[in-house]
Amino acid sequence: MAGCNICLDKSCDGEQQLPEVERFVISADSWNRDRAIVPCKVRFAFNSVVGDSFEMCTVQCLRYNVSVLKRSSKTFLKGDWSLFVDHHDLKSGDNVLMSYKPHVGSFNCVPMAPDGDVRISALNEAEYNNQIFSGTSFTLRMSEITDDEMKRLLSIVKWSKRWTMTPLVHRLTTTDAERFALKLKKSLIDKLNLEPAVTIQFKVYGGEPCDGHDVRYKIMTDGRALCQWKEVVEDHGFAVGQLMVCAAVMYEDDPVVIVWKV
């Protein structure tokens, strides 16, 4: 069976457009190491939910920032696509299943061999850990992370990257834990489009999620969010020197700050 002469996908019906982009397959004929082509049948829906880049996450929590090149008849995926191909040692004949996650605006991706087996990362342990931490933000002038903290941190960052590409690792200061004034970096909250001054929900994870805390904040002149989080500190025993991971996400159209104690 001949493939579509535009996207090269043998299952594509040309300009037949699906209304949503929930799941689709980048077929063996539609990709190489340098780029992939979005199937015509989902191209319109895909283009409507992504800008010039998006985040792609594997079952091993490896994440890739994929650039999008939209042309009049084709949409190409580039950027970290080549890194994804290399990391999973994709072969001729492999397919990639893409599933859209609307609450975070990213895609889960499952690379599959021709027999349907899932291809896992070919990275060694050190390479895998480095890739997990790529895109993670660390507070400047933070004291050194201990070996025990690093083990726990790796596990938490893997989990947090299911939510966001750029979790923040931060060690609590006197201002944070005793004056109850936590300043969230502009890069962490940019995607939330927060109002100048209102409340945001904090959720602290420690195995099981707690009930959310409504925390008052205001946007400072440098773009950071100053959060008055006294109730969170007292309810969860945060203290000076505590290492934590923060992720800011949109959940059911509401901005949420998720916090993990390390």
Side-chain angles (χ1 to χ4, degrees):
M1 178 172 127
C4 171
N5 61 7
I6 296 176
C7 68
L8 310 179
D9 186 340
K10 290 181 179 178
S11 68
C12 184
D13 298 318
E15 288 303 313
Q16 174 194 355
Q17 294 292 339
L18 299 181
E20 295 181 349
V21 69
E22 292 179 0
R23 289 163 64 100
F24 66 94
V25 173
I26 296 175
S27 71
D29 301 299
S30 300
W31 68 268
N32 58 33
R33 183 186 178 277
D34 298 320
R35 59 93 183 115
I37 305 174
V38 175
C40 295
K41 60 187 176 185
V42 297
R43 190 172 69 89
F44 179 80
F46 177 86
N47 286 355
S48 70
V49 298
V50 302
D52 58 7
S53 67
F54 69 94
E55 296 165 4
M56 195 167 74
C57 181
T58 72
V59 293
Q60 293 178 283
C61 300
L62 294 173
R63 298 198 67 132
Y64 301 91
N65 189 20
V66 178
S67 59
V68 180
L69 189 61
K70 300 174 183 178
R71 292 292 184 251
S72 59
S73 62
K74 293 182 184 180
T75 296
F76 296 95
L77 308 183
K78 305 189 85 172
D80 281 357
W81 174 265
S82 58
L83 202 60
F84 165 72
V85 171
D86 289 347
H87 285 176
H88 294 82
D89 196 22
L90 295 194
K91 310 287 188 186
S92 175
D94 289 352
N95 302 307
V96 180
L97 174 64
M98 306 284 287
S99 301
Y100 183 51
K101 299 193 299 179
H103 61 289
V104 289
S106 64
F107 283 80
N108 285 335
C109 60
V110 182
M112 297 181 296
D115 61 5
D117 285 348
V118 175
R119 289 205 183 278
I120 62 172
S121 163
L123 300 176
N124 62 37
E125 183 178 3
E127 292 169 334
Y128 173 79
N129 290 348
N130 286 337
Q131 183 64 25
I132 284 293
F133 280 118
S134 70
T136 300
S137 178
F138 291 81
T139 301
L140 295 176
R141 297 181 296 277
M142 187 172 64
S143 61
E144 186 175 352
I145 298 173
T146 67
D147 289 343
D148 285 344
E149 285 176 330
M150 185 59 74
K151 291 176 183 177
R152 297 194 299 272
L153 184 60
L154 179 63
S155 176
I156 291 169
V157 168
K158 283 197 294 186
W159 175 255
S160 71
K161 282 199 166 190
R162 298 182 184 186
W163 296 83
T164 178
M165 183 70 173
T166 54
L168 169 68
V169 179
H170 175 64
R171 196 180 295 282
L172 295 178
T173 66
T174 300
T175 300
D176 301 325
E178 294 183 357
R179 298 175 188 165
F180 313 117
L182 177 68
K183 297 175 182 177
L184 297 180
K185 293 176 65 172
K186 181 177 185 296
S187 60
L188 185 75
I189 61 171
D190 259 352
K191 291 184 178 180
L192 301 183
N193 296 319
L194 296 177
E195 298 292 333
V198 67
T199 62
I200 187 171
Q201 190 166 95
F202 272 59
K203 286 182 176 289
V204 179
Y205 278 66
E208 292 294 334
C210 71
D211 293 334
H213 297 270
D214 288 327
V215 173
R216 294 196 63 81
Y217 73 87
K218 67 177 181 180
I219 303 298
M220 303 170 66
T221 55
D222 61 5
R224 291 181 296 172
L226 176 60
C227 302
Q228 303 296 331
W229 70 323
K230 180 178 180 179
E231 182 180 295
V232 180
V233 171
E234 293 179 340
D235 282 4
H236 298 280
F238 284 106
V240 175
Q242 171 78 55
L243 199 65
M244 72 176 193
V245 177
C246 291
V249 301
M250 293 298 297
Y251 186 75
E252 295 181 350
D253 297 326
D254 293 321
V256 177
V257 174
I258 303 172
V259 179
W260 293 262
K261 295 174 71 174
V262 177

